[in-house]
């Protein structure tokens, strides 16, 4: 199973849009994961036209998005258990904190900071932030993520968007 992972799209805003490369990866995925801050319901609807979407609401989302999406979502990706949340809190202790919050998960996908992160513990438990495909803020590039799941094993990859 292949996942395309985005977060913090903050659309619509001005002429902001997803890069063609990002859209192509979303279309090719078995599941599109959005880790919050879509902003408007039309963004969710546009993503649903591209494929199956699992998403959570973020702190900047309007009331319609907050009503349509949960704060936490779970996804079984070919036997790998993934929790999705927007804000995973401060960087210090994040891996340990997410493991305690989601003890039955193999990985946690989150957003909020716009800073990409791919971190794993010795036993394989992982936390992953895809950054943002539209608003890099302090990150050097616009980014998204890809995950591959097979037979309960999960790998994450960060994709830098041109």
């Amino acid at each position: 199973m292949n996942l395309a992972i985005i977060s913090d799209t903050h659309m619509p805003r001005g002429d902001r849009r997803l890069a063609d490369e990002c859209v192509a990866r979303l279309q090719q995925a078995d599941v599109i994961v959005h880790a919050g801050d879509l902003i408007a319901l039309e963004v969710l609807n546009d993503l649903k036209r591209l494929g199956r979407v699992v998403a959570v609401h973020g702190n900047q989302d309007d009331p319609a998005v907050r009503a349509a999406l949960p704060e936490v979502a779970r996804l079984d990706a070919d036997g790998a258990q993934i929790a999705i949340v927007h804000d995973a809190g401060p960087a210090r202790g994040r891996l340990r904190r997410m493991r305690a919050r989601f003890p039955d998960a193999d990985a946690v996908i989150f957003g909020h900071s716009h800073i990409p992160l791919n971190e794993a513990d010795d036993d394989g438990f992982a936390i992953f932030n895809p950054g943002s495909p539209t608003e890099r803020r302090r990150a050097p590039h616009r980014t998204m993520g890809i995950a591959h799941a097979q037979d309960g094993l999960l790998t994450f990859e960060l994709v830098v968007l041109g």
Side-chain angles (χ1 to χ4, degrees):
M1 174 180 273
N2 295 312
L3 311 177
I5 308 163
I6 57 175
S7 187
D8 299 285
T9 48
H10 293 269
M11 297 186 324
R13 185 179 290 165
D15 62 353
R16 180 176 295 174
R17 66 180 192 82
L18 296 175
D20 293 341
E21 176 187 4
C22 179
V23 172
R25 288 180 181 270
L26 295 173
Q27 289 172 318
Q28 294 165 3
D30 297 307
V31 179
I32 298 166
V33 175
H34 196 300
D37 277 359
L38 297 88
I39 304 301
L41 200 54
E42 68 191 72
V43 177
L44 178 61
N45 294 333
D46 288 344
L47 290 174
K48 286 181 176 180
R49 284 190 272 282
L50 299 176
R52 177 181 169 211
V53 176
V54 176
V56 296
H57 68 73
N59 61 304
Q60 297 291 314
D61 285 321
D62 71 23
V65 174
R66 293 175 80 73
L69 296 175
E71 180 179 350
V72 175
R74 301 210 180 234
L75 174 63
D76 180 322
D78 199 28
Q81 301 305 308
I82 302 172
I84 303 144
V85 64
H86 180 62
D87 187 353
R92 185 180 182 112
R94 186 183 284 141
L95 185 72
R96 179 179 31 82
R97 203 172 44 254
M98 290 298 99
R99 167 169 268 160
R101 183 173 175 191
F102 302 105
D104 59 340
D106 299 303
V108 176
I109 295 172
F110 68 99
H112 188 59
S113 69
H114 296 231
I115 299 172
L117 177 73
N118 186 2
E119 183 179 352
D121 208 345
D122 293 337
D123 68 358
F125 175 80
I127 57 174
F128 185 81
N129 185 329
S132 172
T134 57
E135 189 175 302
R136 65 177 184 82
R137 291 190 183 169
R138 293 175 290 147
H141 306 282
R142 291 179 178 89
T143 55
M144 67 178 295
I146 299 293
H148 305 284
Q150 184 173 1
D151 300 325
L153 298 176
L154 188 61
T155 59
F156 289 98
E157 174 187 345
L158 188 66
V159 177
V160 174
L161 300 168

